[in-house]
Amino acid sequence: MNNPYFDLLMWARGPGFDIALTIMVGGILLRVVEILVLGRKRDLATAKGSPVGQGVKTIFTRSFPRKGLVPFAPITYIGGYIFHIGFAIAFLFLGAHIALIDGLLGLSWPAANRAIVESATALAVIALFALLYTRITDPVRRALSTFGDYLVWLLSLLPLVLGYVAVNKLFGDPTLMMALHILSAEALMVAFPFTKLMHAVTFLMARYYNGSIQGRKGAES
Amino acid sequence: MAERPVLAEALKAHGISRRGFLKYCASLTSLMALPPALAPKVAHALENAARPSVIWLSFQECTGCTESITRSHAPTIEDLIFNTVSLDYHHTLQAASGHAAEEARMKAMEEHYGKYLVIVDGSIPVGNPAYSCIAGISNLDMLKETAAGAAAIVAVGTCAAYGGIPHADPNPTGAVAVSEIIKDKPIINVPGCPPIPIVMTSVLAHFLTFGLPELDELGRPKAFFGETIHDRCYRRPFYDQGKFAEAFDDEGARLGWCLYKLGCKGPTTKSVCATVKWNDGTSFPIQSGHPCLGCTEPDFWDNGGFYKPLSMPAGDYRKLGLAAVAGGAALGVAGGAIARATKSKAAAAHETVDAHDLEKKS
């Protein structure tokens, strides 16, 4: 006799994770190397400023909103911050996730209290819904949205909701919900290199590039 | 074998007071998740229960289940309940052996056909039935023969309930659970490696008093397997606070912090270990500093390693990860090269157009 929920959990922890990790790591490498190989034409002009300094600076400065833009799109900015910080806390400070990272990379740090992790999760979920609301109600954003954007929204939401449900045993068999939580995270991993989720890696390259071309011209970025 | 009620006499003989017996019935009632008002009924039913014939079959097992039950903190009432049944065949405990023992089994089966209870511990090898035989009879044949006249079957221990350790990969004997073979009789699974003695006797008491208990989808009595160990664990507050033992001899382990990171399977294991405990309520594995192995769950032996946290991948991810790095980089170079080639090709194929050409075309 088997426990089908446990079998699913074991598949998610075993072959499911192996497949998802392979696709994610391979996919990220593929896309980053492809961009680097494509390269840029050499700029023969003499540099007027420091491209490296401005490039590195821009990686950080672009994490803060431009003056006056927050009131222009408050939900996008504030919701965006809450989601990103909430997701990071939930992902990086739950004990079970630290055990996973420890197993993969050998890196470990203290876990946060469950109340903090769960509050961060709840806020991230609320922020996601607020962001979806603006995406749907604002005609410009709606026109700009593609299927990929809605898919990424759903893939970001599911691990948060299913993880919360599994840990708090809100409904469903806890083993099944844990398996579904892991599977939803694996779906996110698989989609990562091939959707806009890739910004979590390429933002470094893009910001550095933008900053460095300005810096080369002697401009502030 | 007597059909008359024997518990009252047995209690008297062992010097157990009526007060003690009623207290036991009350705790049994609560343990079985029955309403408190039913406690007197449990007492009444137990006192008047006829002595059922029990045939205990031991197949591919380690005798741990029998050890557990015979070591239920004697002399207690649980023990007496167990002694109250007429254990007509148990080749580990009985004095007779070989054909004499088998005769006792046949006699019990004939006399109580359709009424006796069969308790099985151990899995059944179906790969080659000769792997495990008793008196020249294969486990498979003995189970089928004995189950035919049984009122119900109790599969004691994870081996009988789910195949257990003999069923572990690569399962050389083709070991299976009782429920894989017997399909036409009620089967109560009491998994555990071994099960807690009082859980076993309570299931027996429930069967004697109210018949079959309510079972979950894995055939386990819901009263004992309804909640996870994690939910009832006294170390749960440390889990909630994010305080984990990282090694068996670190500060966290000494302070009694959560054992999740040392591989504890409490969150996915349903059992009453954390509340009922072992050895007369003395302790249970987590209390003595060892993570739960998840022994009441099917395939616990193959569920990704005892000392690996549940959230840690159980597969061959390291090799695949390295292959993905190499493969991804190679594909990236190829993709970039193709894009460059396309770019140069487009540049080469670019036709220049001036105003004269445009005028010609129009």
Side-chain angles (χ1 to χ4, degrees):
Chain A
M1 187 183 266
N2 291 330
N3 181 348
Y5 300 153
F6 222 108
D7 289 348
L8 189 67
L9 178 66
M10 283 311 297
W11 192 87
R13 283 179 70 198
F17 185 83
D18 294 348
I19 294 166
L21 186 76
T22 309
I23 293 175
M24 188 178 89
V25 172
I28 292 172
L29 255 293
L30 187 157
R31 292 208 54 192
V32 169
V33 171
E34 201 177 32
I35 293 166
L36 295 175
V37 167
L38 196 56
R40 278 285 177 269
K41 217 180 221 175
R42 208 172 152 207
D43 190 346
L44 296 169
T46 317
K48 287 179 183 166
S50 160
V52 178
Q54 280 299 315
V56 173
K57 190 184 144 200
T58 308
I59 291 176
F60 297 98
T61 54
R62 293 275 164 103
S63 293
F64 301 97
R66 289 267 160 130
K67 219 175 177 182
L69 278 180
V70 176
F72 179 71
I75 296 179
T76 307
Y77 275 102
I78 297 166
Y81 280 117
I82 292 175
F83 166 72
H84 280 89
I85 295 167
F87 192 95
I89 291 173
F91 176 54
L92 296 175
F93 292 99
L94 184 80
H97 296 162
I98 297 171
L100 165 71
I101 295 164
D102 194 6
L104 283 176
L105 306 169
L107 299 170
S108 182
W109 51 85
N113 190 305
R114 212 178 101 194
I116 296 172
V117 173
E118 289 184 2
S119 306
T121 308
L123 286 171
V125 169
I126 293 166
L128 271 177
F129 276 97
L131 290 166
L132 181 70
Y133 173 79
T134 54
R135 188 182 280 281
I136 291 169
T137 51
D138 184 340
V140 177
R141 287 201 188 96
R142 193 171 61 212
L144 288 171
S145 298
T146 60
F147 169 75
D149 295 321
Y150 294 109
L151 178 73
V152 163
W153 179 87
L154 185 68
L155 291 176
S156 310
L157 176 79
L158 284 178
L160 290 168
V161 172
L162 290 171
Y164 191 92
V165 169
V167 170
N168 288 288
K169 300 188 166 60
L170 292 188
F171 56 82
D173 182 273
T175 306
L176 173 68
M177 298 320 285
M178 189 52 72
L180 293 179
H181 165 66
I182 296 176
L183 287 171
S184 70
E186 283 163 6
L188 187 78
M189 287 164 74
V190 168
F192 187 93
F194 313 109
T195 56
K196 285 182 187 169
L197 289 167
M198 189 64 191
H199 78 273
V201 173
T202 50
F203 85 99
L204 289 166
M205 299 161 77
R207 285 184 186 178
Y208 178 82
Y209 179 67
N210 281 328
S212 68
I213 52 171
Q214 296 304 322
R216 200 178 164 80
K217 290 173 184 169
E220 281 279 317
S221 173
Chain B
M1 196 192 75
E3 286 290 354
R4 63 196 167 79
V6 290
L7 187 65
E9 284 169 32
L11 288 170
K12 213 169 163 187
H14 285 78
I16 307 276
S17 68
R18 177 140 185 89
R19 185 183 171 80
F21 175 65
L22 289 176
K23 264 174 80 179
Y24 169 73
C25 289
S27 63
L28 202 64
T29 309
S30 107
L31 202 58
M32 291 191 291
L34 297 169
L38 278 181
K41 284 196 176 175
V42 171
H44 182 76
L46 278 179
E47 280 177 319
N48 292 289
R51 197 180 186 201
S53 170
V54 171
I55 296 175
W56 184 303
L57 302 174
S58 297
F59 296 147
Q60 290 194 130
E61 44 82 41
C62 67
T63 315
C65 297
T66 301
E67 289 282 349
S68 170
I69 285 151
T70 52
R71 269 155 186 71
S72 64
H73 29 283
T76 61
I77 312 177
E78 290 101 293
D79 204 29
L80 287 180
I81 298 278
F82 197 65
N83 289 337
T84 304
V85 299
S86 169
L87 194 54
D88 291 331
Y89 178 86
H90 188 309
H91 69 235
T92 309
L93 301 179
Q94 71 195 132
S97 63
H99 292 295
E102 292 314 304
E103 268 174 35
R105 180 172 65 88
M106 298 310 284
K107 198 172 158 231
M109 282 166 58
E110 275 169 31
E111 281 179 17
H112 308 286
Y113 196 84
K115 286 187 284 184
Y116 59 83
L117 190 66
V118 175
I119 299 180
V120 182
D121 70 325
S123 62
I124 302 98
V126 293
N128 181 346
Y131 282 139
S132 181
C133 293
I134 297 159
I137 308 165
S138 73
N139 291 170
L140 184 66
D141 289 342
M142 190 180 276
L143 176 64
K144 283 182 177 170
E145 188 183 66
T146 316
I153 300 173
V154 182
V156 172
T158 306
C159 295
Y162 308 127
I165 295 166
H167 180 75
D169 190 48
N171 190 1
T173 63
V176 297
V178 174
S179 57
E180 302 279 325
I181 295 165
I182 306 299
K183 304 283 185 192
D184 57 348
K185 296 283 175 187
I187 298 173
I188 308 166
N189 286 332
V190 187
C193 194
I196 302 173
I198 196 173
V199 171
M200 174 65 225
T201 51
S202 300
V203 168
L204 215 54
H206 196 290
F207 183 75
L208 293 176
T209 52
F210 300 106
L212 285 172
E214 201 187 343
L215 306 176
D216 70 3
E217 65 278 5
L218 294 172
R220 304 176 291 197
K222 279 187 179 172
F224 304 107
F225 299 94
E227 282 181 321
T228 63
I229 290 175
H230 185 59
D231 281 343
R232 292 287 177 190
C233 183
Y234 79 106
R235 295 196 189 209
R236 177 63 184 263
F238 294 116
Y239 172 87
D240 291 344
Q241 288 164 23
K243 289 176 177 170
F244 299 95
E246 305 278 343
F248 282 104
D249 57 352
D250 73 353
E251 188 63 15
R254 278 189 283 277
L255 290 169
W257 288 357
C258 177
L259 301 170
Y260 182 92
K261 285 193 180 174
L262 293 173
C264 187
K265 303 295 180 291
T268 49
T269 305
K270 288 178 178 172
S271 180
V272 285
C273 297
T275 44
V276 172
K277 300 189 183 176
W278 294 76
N279 299 326
D280 205 3
T282 306
S283 183
F284 72 113
I286 294 170
Q287 196 172 342
S288 37
H290 195 279
C292 165
L293 303 180
C295 75
T296 58
E297 297 295 328
D299 297 326
F300 78 99
W301 205 262
D302 292 323
N303 282 341
F306 290 159
Y307 302 102
K308 238 181 198 182
L310 270 166
S311 61
M312 202 189 268
D316 213 2
Y317 57 94
R318 281 182 198 278
K319 276 186 203 160
L320 283 166
L322 286 175
V325 170
L331 283 173
V333 171
I338 291 168
R340 280 183 85 116
T342 313
K343 198 174 136 191
S344 351
K345 220 169 155 188
H350 183 71
E351 283 180 34
T352 47
V353 180
D354 58 20
H356 296 291
D357 295 330
L358 289 171
E359 271 175 15
K360 272 181 211 165
K361 275 177 191 168
S362 62

